[in-house]
Amino acid sequence: HSQNSDIYAWIYVPGTNIDYPILQHPEDKSYYLNHNIDGSEGYPGCIYTQNVNKKDWTDPNTVIYGHNMNNGSMFHDLHKFEDAVFFDETQYLYIYTPERTLVYEIFASYPFSYIDLIMCFDYSTPEALLVYFDGIWTNRSMTSHFRDSVVLYGDSRIITMSTCIGGQPDMRYLVQAVLLNPEAK
């Protein structure tokens, strides 16, 4: 945080190189897409959330973005979840904040269109959220995986990690996880 005051959390996904601070710019929702942690412009950018998401992790869906860097950094390792064995063996991820450690269970990984997940879906009521959750399970492809044992409710809170798919500029690879300990201290 002393290096950049826009850092507000840290993400760690075991079995991957994903072990980074999470940033959010107060005014420019996509600032860290093309700005580094020191504020310089260019790649690799940072792992970040848009300012439409609250920083307290209470939104129904917090979307976390990161580039798919060829050198294996940033969110490149989200593509490991395309492998069924890796998906099955990697069940949890962690978000660290100054106040608490949040534990998430990974329940889905799949390619999806390049749309704004926050603006294009309704999360305003438990019923609307359940409609969105039901739609997740329909994203079947050769690189899609789902943990069928996970049950999502109208008050569940999820994160969606999003990165590019090489050679497919209109697509993103998503990995989603549900918060297991919303009351964590």
Side-chain angles (χ1 to χ4, degrees):
H1 190 76
S2 63
Q3 185 178 7
N4 184 322
S5 62
D6 290 344
I7 296 171
Y8 73 100
W10 194 278
I11 186 168
Y12 171 62
V13 182
T16 73
N17 289 325
I18 300 171
D19 192 4
Y20 293 104
I22 301 173
L23 293 84
Q24 185 181 101
H25 194 275
E27 294 146 10
D28 183 345
K29 68 180 187 173
S30 297
Y31 181 82
Y32 287 107
L33 178 67
N34 294 312
H35 287 85
N36 298 304
I37 199 165
D38 64 2
S40 63
E41 195 168 349
Y43 289 105
C46 294
I47 304 301
Y48 72 97
T49 59
Q50 295 181 349
N51 58 11
V52 295
N53 274 131
K54 297 178 204 148
K55 293 196 242 180
D56 65 2
W57 304 94
T58 59
D59 287 318
N61 187 7
T62 299
V63 182
I64 308 170
Y65 300 92
H67 283 296
N68 174 17
M69 300 301 292
N70 289 334
N71 68 2
S73 67
M74 297 292 126
F75 270 0
H76 175 272
D77 279 0
L78 288 184
H79 289 282
K80 285 185 167 188
F81 288 95
E82 294 175 12
D83 178 74
V85 173
F86 184 83
F87 179 87
D88 289 342
E89 292 175 350
T90 309
Q91 192 168 353
Y92 302 102
L93 67 90
Y94 305 90
I95 302 280
Y96 303 99
T97 74
E99 298 81 29
R100 58 195 174 151
T101 299
L102 301 170
V103 180
Y104 289 84
E105 183 174 10
I106 298 164
F107 66 88
S109 65
Y110 55 94
F112 196 71
S113 71
Y114 179 61
I115 62 171
D116 188 323
L117 294 171
I118 299 299
M119 303 310 287
C120 291
F121 292 98
D122 181 7
Y123 308 106
S124 63
T125 66
E127 296 77 19
L129 190 57
L130 287 171
V131 169
Y132 172 73
F133 290 157
D134 287 344
I136 290 171
W137 306 104
T138 66
N139 293 291
R140 303 290 174 169
S141 76
M142 295 298 289
T143 58
S144 299
H145 303 288
F146 300 92
R147 201 170 313 283
D148 294 324
S149 61
V150 172
V151 178
L152 301 174
Y153 301 97
D155 63 348
S156 292
R157 296 192 324 233
I158 69 168
I159 60 169
T160 301
M161 296 176 288
S162 175
T163 197
C164 301
I165 298 174
Q168 298 182 45
D170 295 332
M171 298 293 290
R172 295 295 176 261
Y173 197 76
L174 307 180
V175 176
Q176 295 181 300
V178 62
L179 181 62
L180 297 179
N181 61 335
E183 304 305 320
K185 300 282 188 227

